[in-house]
């Protein structure tokens, strides 16, 4: 392996410490990383509890750099949102069939691309194949099987986002900073993911406790067929987002810093050399980090060894580029370079990375993202600058959360009213009862329970304000009977004004 061949210059230790301090100063520190993660876990919980309280069986997730805490302001990472449509029962086996649900059977043969499945439609009343075409995009094969098309998801998304719809793989958006993905949760892990859990893992990472929790994470199917495949429009890609997120949540701050630097190098030094249509992505960097973690002793991942860890990751990327294949860390038989990075660009990137390593990573002093290179050339640390940057980022995260909660509550109130003020009372009470029930049944996460309590508290406050205003307007003393709710057997009910 290339990693075994590289030397460690004597100044790497002191430069690593300096790099850690400068990365801290631009927000790549434990405090900001934890704040980012908490903020996006609260966001996804609020989205989930809001849609579920209004009758939709959807669970929302945030994935990617923002929720993982592996970004800085200069990287300008987008926000990735996945909506899991839990009204769909995705069957790996016929024994997974459920009455009354939209049942879809995962099907593949030797011609199906790796990491992809077709979804055969199954009747909801009996466990038998569907023979009727439900949507005009669905396809019937020579055996009479009806397959659910991914074009239907794209069409529904287009109707929701309007003419400014942008599509990148399975994600859709009407803004370059946000990506939305509609996904179906798998009932059980498909074979290509189970193989990762069942394989012997002689490496240093992930530790057993992280590995066992990851085993409990579900995976999803997203509307992303293999480009150029004859059945592309009915193919669904398996994606282990939650497993990957759990692995990312287990990283220490040095490992996160390593990934952040890789992303900076990718964005400034590697991407400009690619041909149009070719992509070297942050996911390639993350994959290289995972493989490097697996083969590197845990005591190397310390602040004094940050530069060594970065170089190890770069050597891993070089290995992928030399062999012309980037394996998926979790899903077997998948090449992440396929249809993304041509051979000519692979050779070009390998040369660029080789030069970086041979030059003892002096490229870091040229990094313009977050002015990191300029900061590294300042010999004396400015503690007050670090404090200001961290405070500023944390303050922005707090304000963004405030704006998000305020926007969400306004949207909830609009939905309750339905355009008519007269419907607010009973609608608010009904929603409070639903939220209270969800809290009481003990299935909510800590974040979801906090979100439910936020909505309940503010709805009760709004109801009290409306009742008080009514009393003032009608010159009636408030005595609990002015069209406000009452509690009976633990449930809120609405009593009209006398």
């Amino acid at each position: 392996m290339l990693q075994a061949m590289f030397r460690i210059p004597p100044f790497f230790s002191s430069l690593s410490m300096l790099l850690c301090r400068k990365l801290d100063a631009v927000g790549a520190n434990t405090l900001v990383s934890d704040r980012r993660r908490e903020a996006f876990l609260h966001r996804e919980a609020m989205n989930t509890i809001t849609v579920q309280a209004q009758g939709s069986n959807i669970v929302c997730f945030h994935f990617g750099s923002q929720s993982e805490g592996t970004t800085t302001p200069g990287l300008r990472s987008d926000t990735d949102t996945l909506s899991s449509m839990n009204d769909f029962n995705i069957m790996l086996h016929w024994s997974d069939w459920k009455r009354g649900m939209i049942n879809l059977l995962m099907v593949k043969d030797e011609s199906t691309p790796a990491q992809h499945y077709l979804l055969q439609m199954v009747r909801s009343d009996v466990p038998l194949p569907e023979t009727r075409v439900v949507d005009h995009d669905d396809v019937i094969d020579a055996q009479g099987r009806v397959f659910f098309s991914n074009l239907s998801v794209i069409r529904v998304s287009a109707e929701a986002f309007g003419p400014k719809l942008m599509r990148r793989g399975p994600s859709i958006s009407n803004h370059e900073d946000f990506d939305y993905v509609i996904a179906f949760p798998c009932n059980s892990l498909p074979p290509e993911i189970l193989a990762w859990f069942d394989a012997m893992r002689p490496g240093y990472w992930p530790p057993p406790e992280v590995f066992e929790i990851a085993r409990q994470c579900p995976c999803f199917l997203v509307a992303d067929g293999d480009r150029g495949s004859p059945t592309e429009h009915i193919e669904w890609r398996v994606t282990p987002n939650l497993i990957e997120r759990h692995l990312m949540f287990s990283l220490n701050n040095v490992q996160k810093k390593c990934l952040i630097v890789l992303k900076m190098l990718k964005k400034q030094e590697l991407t400009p050399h690619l041909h149009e249509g070719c992509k070297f992505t942050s996911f390639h960097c993350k994959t290289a980090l995972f493989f490097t973690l697996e083969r590197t002793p845990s005591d190397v991942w310390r602040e004094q060894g940050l530069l060594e860890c970065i170089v190890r990751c770069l050597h891993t990327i070089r290995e992928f580029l030399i062999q012309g294949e980037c394996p998926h860390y979790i899903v077997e038989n998948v090449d992440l370079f396929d249809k993304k990075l041509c051979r000519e660009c692979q050779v070009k990137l390998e040369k660029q990375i080789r030069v970086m390593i041979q030059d003892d990573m002096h490229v870091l002093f040229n990094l313009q993202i977050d002015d990191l290179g300029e900061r590294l050339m300042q010999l004396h640390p400015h503690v007050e600058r670090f404090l200001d940057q961290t405070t500023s980022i944390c303050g922005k995260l707090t304000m963004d959360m405030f704006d998000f909660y305020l926007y969400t509550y306004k949207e909830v109130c609009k939905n309750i009213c339905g355009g008519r003020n007269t419907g607010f009372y009973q609608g608010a009470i009904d929603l409070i009862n639903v939220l209270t029930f969800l809290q009481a049944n003990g299935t909510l996460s800590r974040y979801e329970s906090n979100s439910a309590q936020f909505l309940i508290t503010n709805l009760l406050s709004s109801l009290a304000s409306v009742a008080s205003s009514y009393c003032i307007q009608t010159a009636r003393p408030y005595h609990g009977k002015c069209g406000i709710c009452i509690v009976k057997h633990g449930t809120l009910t609405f009593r009209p004004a006398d």
Side-chain angles (χ1 to χ4, degrees):
M1 289 189 298
L2 294 174
Q3 288 196 34
M5 301 164 53
F6 80 90
R7 63 181 180 83
I8 304 174
F11 63 86
F12 260 30
S13 178
S14 58
L15 183 57
S16 292
M17 295 297 295
L18 178 63
L19 180 58
C20 280
R21 299 289 75 79
K22 300 307 180 181
L23 286 169
D24 284 340
V26 298
N29 57 68
T30 303
L31 176 60
V32 172
S33 177
D34 291 346
R35 288 282 181 90
R36 285 190 191 279
R37 185 168 76 175
E38 285 289 303
F40 281 91
L41 288 174
H42 274 106
R43 276 175 176 257
E44 68 180 31
M46 176 61 81
N47 285 330
T48 296
I49 205 69
T50 300
V51 296
Q52 289 190 352
Q54 296 177 51
S56 297
N57 192 9
I58 297 173
V59 179
C60 301
F61 299 96
H62 283 299
F63 295 117
S65 303
Q66 294 282 8
S67 63
E68 294 165 357
T70 55
T71 189
T72 63
L75 283 171
R76 299 182 59 83
S77 301
D78 58 10
T79 301
D80 301 319
T81 303
L82 182 145
S83 295
S84 176
M85 316 302 287
N86 289 5
D87 277 333
F88 289 77
N89 179 42
I90 305 301
M91 305 160 50
L92 190 59
H93 310 285
W94 279 100
S95 57
D96 295 330
W97 179 84
K98 294 179 182 178
R99 182 181 298 276
M101 293 193 70
I102 304 171
N103 293 284
L104 298 169
L105 178 67
M106 298 170 64
V107 176
K108 74 183 311 178
D109 57 30
E110 62 279 358
S111 66
T112 310
Q115 202 181 354
H116 288 81
Y117 282 84
L118 310 185
L119 291 178
Q120 181 183 353
M121 301 186 70
V122 180
R123 290 171 56 172
S124 60
D125 55 343
V126 289
L128 292 173
E130 181 62 79
T131 56
R132 299 172 296 111
V133 173
V134 178
D135 189 280
H136 69 271
D137 289 321
D138 297 336
V139 173
I140 301 181
D141 72 352
Q143 302 175 43
R145 299 178 297 180
V146 181
F147 290 107
F148 187 47
S149 172
N150 57 42
L151 297 177
S152 58
V153 171
I154 299 168
R155 188 180 68 252
V156 170
S157 303
E159 293 171 356
F161 285 94
K164 295 184 178 180
L165 175 73
M166 296 179 287
R167 187 182 176 203
R168 294 183 287 269
S171 67
I172 42 108
S173 178
N174 56 3
H175 194 284
E176 61 180 10
D177 292 336
F178 299 92
D179 285 332
Y180 300 90
V181 175
I182 294 175
F184 302 139
C186 298
N187 255 324
S188 52
L189 296 178
E192 52 263 68
I193 293 180
L194 277 177
W196 181 71
F197 288 104
D198 295 337
M200 294 293 292
R201 312 205 68 77
Y204 297 97
W205 185 88
E209 62 275 13
V210 172
F211 191 74
E212 286 308 311
I213 295 176
R215 188 187 288 271
Q216 309 306 315
C217 297
C219 62
F220 303 97
L221 291 175
V222 297
D224 186 30
D226 188 49
R227 193 173 61 189
S229 167
T231 55
E232 178 180 357
H233 59 297
I234 55 173
E235 292 170 359
W236 299 78
R237 178 164 59 84
V238 175
T239 174
N241 298 79
L242 276 176
I243 297 173
E244 291 164 359
R245 187 171 81 169
H246 179 67
L247 294 179
M248 289 301 301
F249 281 1
S250 73
L251 301 186
N252 63 36
N253 198 242
V254 172
Q255 292 159 349
K256 291 179 182 179
K257 283 184 169 79
C258 180
L259 181 55
I260 287 171
V261 173
L262 290 178
K263 290 178 181 179
M264 290 180 173
L265 293 172
K266 182 270 301 182
K267 185 172 184 176
Q268 180 177 310
E269 300 296 326
L270 301 180
T271 299
H273 296 280
L274 299 179
H275 296 330
E276 185 177 357
C278 285
K279 295 179 180 178
F280 184 75
T281 68
S282 295
F283 191 71
H284 291 123
C285 297
K286 184 192 294 187
T287 301
L289 174 66
F290 285 164
F291 279 103
T292 307
L293 282 163
E294 191 175 78
R295 61 177 68 159
T296 305
S298 57
D299 59 357
V300 175
W301 298 95
R302 63 195 194 283
E303 290 193 339
Q304 299 95 317
L306 176 58
L307 269 178
E308 178 186 346
C309 295
I310 293 170
V311 172
R312 284 176 179 267
C313 288
L314 289 174
H315 274 304
T316 301
I317 296 173
R318 280 191 66 212
E319 288 179 25
F320 296 156
L321 293 167
I322 290 170
Q323 67 192 20
E325 179 183 359
C326 178
H328 196 292
Y329 184 68
I330 296 172
V331 187
E332 64 176 0
N333 300 321
V334 174
D335 177 13
L336 297 176
F337 286 160
D338 185 39
K339 299 183 177 69
K340 289 185 174 64
L341 197 62
C342 70
R343 187 59 193 153
E344 184 180 347
C345 285
Q346 291 174 22
V347 172
K348 192 179 296 186
L349 291 188
E350 190 278 328
K351 180 180 178 181
Q352 287 291 121
I353 294 174
R354 178 162 30 96
V355 170
M356 287 183 199
I357 297 171
Q358 291 174 345
D359 197 31
D360 291 335
M361 297 305 294
H362 279 86
V363 66
L364 295 175
F365 293 96
N366 299 327
L367 283 176
Q368 299 174 15
I369 299 171
D370 295 302
D371 299 316
L372 186 61
E374 189 177 323
R375 290 170 182 267
L376 285 171
M377 288 187 283
Q378 294 175 351
L379 298 179
H380 301 288
H382 297 281
V383 178
E384 69 280 1
R385 193 171 184 181
F386 159 64
L387 293 174
D388 288 347
Q389 189 78 347
T390 297
T391 303
S392 172
I393 295 171
C394 289
K396 186 177 186 308
L397 287 169
T398 301
M399 288 304 300
D400 287 346
M401 277 300 297
F402 176 80
D403 291 341
F404 170 75
Y405 269 54
L406 182 61
Y407 171 80
T408 302
Y409 183 66
K410 285 182 177 179
E411 290 300 306
V412 167
C413 291
K414 285 181 184 178
N415 290 334
I416 290 173
C417 293
R420 304 185 311 277
N421 291 332
T422 54
F424 180 75
Y425 254 49
Q426 190 58 58
I429 292 168
D430 291 343
L431 182 55
I432 290 171
N433 285 329
V434 170
L435 293 169
T436 303
F437 172 79
L438 291 173
Q439 279 188 317
N441 69 14
T443 60
L444 299 184
S445 68
R446 171 171 64 91
Y447 300 100
E448 290 169 344
S449 183
N450 289 343
S451 298
Q453 191 57 50
F454 169 84
L455 291 174
I456 291 171
T457 301
N458 283 276
L459 286 169
L460 287 172
S461 177
S462 296
L463 286 172
S465 297
V466 172
S468 300
S469 299
Y470 174 80
C471 292
I472 293 172
Q473 183 179 7
T474 58
R476 294 185 181 185
Y478 178 73
H479 48 66
K481 298 181 181 180
C482 300
I484 190 60
C485 54
I486 60 173
V487 179
K488 186 176 183 180
H489 305 304
T491 303
L492 288 170
T493 57
F494 174 64
R495 174 159 57 193
D498 297 332

